[in-house]
Amino acid sequence: MKRRKFINNLALGAVGTFGFPTIVPANVLGGKDAPSNKINIAQIGCGRIARTHDLPGTWKHDKARIMAVCDLDRHRTEETKQLVEEFYTKKTGQSNYIDVKMYDDYREMLLNKDIDAVMISTPDFWHAQPAMEAALAGKDIYLQKPTSLTIHEGRQLANVIKKTGRILQVGTQQRSTSQFRIAAELVRNGRIGKLHTVKIGLPGDPSGPPAPAMPVPKGFNFDMWLGSTPEMAYTEIAVHPQKGYDRPGWLRMEQFGAGMITGWGQHHYDSAAWGMDTELTGPISVEAVAEFPKSGLWNVHGDFMSKAEYANGITMYTSGGYQNGIRYEGSEGWIFVSRGDYAATPSDPTAKVRSKALDASNPKILESVIGPNEIHLYNSDDQHGNWLDCIESRKEPISPIEIGHRACTVCLITHVAMKIPRKLQWDPTQEHFVNDAEANTWLRRAQRAPYGTDRIKF
């Protein structure tokens, strides 16, 4: 089959029928120091998160080898190639250790049989489609959160991963941070009595100025960048900075996402579900109030408050008025957990200074030891390292797609509740609103051709 025709078929989802390898990665072959003994990884999306989180989190592991990079903005691709090569030069002392391949189209990248796995650090609306296509091409995946733009495409992605058996790690790295696991274990083992309330602190986003249309920068495939979302005129603060890697403007536009409710929300809802024992289900009702900008280009939510009720009797509140983090409240006390330095054993002189990253109504709660016959949760201290280990072992990673999809769903139905001023009933089994046609129109979006998950055959 000719190369261009093959790429077009891949875009239409036909790749799943072409017999790609499904189990054995290239790294199981070759000598200890041979490139084939590494897990060969390609980076899709070369922006802020890739450069500060995914690449450094992966290349530090000797079993990994970053061999290719791809972005729709050519100068970002070139700068990231240089970044990766400079890292390996410094690490190995060999200036010609690797020639990182550059791609303008990830679909062409997926045809490279030497690539075992991909990291997807693209904007939110470009998460589900490349992840599905990568899985169908036989690649394992590290996927930044949120897992999807809509609940519909999130379910599609989860189904593809289940069908193909690929290893997909969601970038909800709080699971690999000790205090979040410790808090969840203490709650799950009854150290604060019966859990009844969870309060989550999440900020909103500011409004922004109006922005005139601008010429599309040279080397930037803006039409493909828009993907399945509607056509619009290019302006820099709607996309990403042309110089530097500061926080991009697309994060603040509903065309491309839902704002901080998904940006930070999937982290905290995922961690909260760990302690609530609701990882594979969801709330049965949700309601919210929110402020939205009345002018300017940026239009995601600002200040808000939401309430979600669960079948197990737990009520979860979320607001920017709470401290950023998760507070579990039970019949016999409370536990608060957030990001920051934390020493699980304060008496250890080698540990970092203990902070308010983990706090409780009684210090003795945190000193409690989880016994051998009690609930012990999945223990990881490195999100990317756990992913690499699971690529080799084929075991489930700490943040699998089904759990990630469920956490993202809580974000997305909360966003729907911000738009519809009434209490919404949710069926977490069927994944739809109960007897509410208006709310159910938000479960999916129209997808602009030729992009979108609805065009993938599996």
Side-chain angles (χ1 to χ4, degrees), residues 13 39 80 93 100 103-104 160 162-163 171 178 186-187 200 202 214 220 258-259 266 309 351 366 398 427 437 450:
I39 301 172
T80 305
V100 174
Y103 293 88
D104 298 314
V160 166
K162 182 178 180 179
K163 179 178 180 178
S178 62
L186 291 170
V187 172
I200 296 176
L202 282 179
M214 300 169 63
F220 179 38
Q266 185 160 344
E309 297 172 316
L366 304 184
I398 193 167
D427 183 337

Side-chain angles (χ1 to χ4, degrees), residues 102-297:
M102 293 191 296
Y103 293 88
D104 298 314
D105 189 327
Y106 75 87
R107 296 169 298 182
E108 183 174 359
M109 171 189 278
L110 294 178
L111 304 182
N112 187 334
K113 66 181 184 300
D114 293 328
I115 295 172
D116 301 312
V118 299
M119 294 189 292
I120 300 174
S121 316
T122 50
D124 296 1
F125 58 101
W126 263 116
H127 283 181
Q129 181 176 345
M132 290 171 66
E133 290 170 333
L136 292 168
K139 316 298 184 187
D140 295 314
I141 304 141
Y142 190 99
L143 179 64
Q144 271 301 327
K145 53 78 216 164
T147 49
S148 62
L149 184 65
T150 67
I151 293 167
H152 170 69
E153 67 177 20
R155 173 48 58 201
Q156 288 179 304
L157 172 57
N159 289 345
V160 166
I161 297 303
K162 182 178 180 179
K163 179 178 180 178
T164 60
R166 304 320 304 168
I167 300 298
L168 187 150
Q169 178 85 297
V170 179
T172 45
Q173 71 273 9
Q174 287 180 178
R175 284 186 173 246
S176 292
T177 307
S178 62
Q179 64 261 35
F180 287 94
R181 174 183 53 80
I182 291 167
E185 284 184 338
L186 291 170
V187 172
R188 293 274 289 269
N189 285 290
R191 296 306 192 269
I192 59 171
K194 180 175 176 55
L195 178 66
H196 55 74
T197 303
V198 175
K199 295 176 180 176
I200 296 176
L202 282 179
D205 264 314
S207 60
M214 300 169 63
V216 177
K218 183 180 179 182
F220 179 38
N221 186 344
F222 180 56
D223 181 76
M224 187 173 182
W225 185 90
L226 287 171
S228 64
T229 76
E231 289 186 55
M232 62 169 284
Y234 171 82
T235 187
E236 187 173 352
I237 69 166
V239 186
H240 56 249
Q242 278 300 296
K243 292 184 178 180
Y245 293 87
D246 290 339
R247 193 166 187 257
W250 62 261
L251 283 165
R252 294 167 172 157
M253 293 189 62
E254 287 200 331
Q255 176 166 340
F256 308 125
M260 291 298 283
I261 193 64
T262 50
W264 262 92
Q266 185 160 344
H267 285 303
H268 284 350
Y269 286 144
D270 174 70
S271 296
W274 218 7
M276 295 162 62
D277 193 17
T278 57
E279 296 169 282
L280 295 175
T281 182
I284 57 174
S285 72
V286 61
E287 51 193 311
V289 291
E291 294 181 356
F292 288 89
K294 295 180 173 58
S295 62
L297 185 70

